[in-house]
Amino acid sequence: MGFDQQEPTIFCVKQGQSGLWDVSEEGFDKPLASFDSADDAKQYADDLAKNKPGASVKFTD
């Protein structure tokens, strides 16, 4: 018997090909949401991370 050990969730904020700022979960291609500004995308990702224990946000240009 073992415990299901999951890696901590990482939410990624990066500028997509369309010019919008995408928020996605690391390991998944499809964005959870897209925003006109990096600040809005980061705020959304921060809010997601606050609601998921152990989660963090990675911001890439």
Side-chain angles (χ1 to χ4, degrees), residues 5 10 13 18 23-24 26 29 32-33 43-44 47-49 55 57:
Q5 293 183 347
I10 300 173
V13 178
S18 65
V23 177
S24 60
E26 190 168 72
D29 292 331
L32 298 169
Q43 181 63 53
Y44 179 76
D47 289 344
L48 289 175
V57 175

Side-chain angles (χ1 to χ4, degrees), residues 21-36:
W21 288 89
D22 296 334
V23 177
S24 60
E25 189 173 333
E26 190 168 72
F28 295 90
D29 292 331
K30 186 174 180 181
L32 298 169
S34 298
F35 298 87
D36 290 327

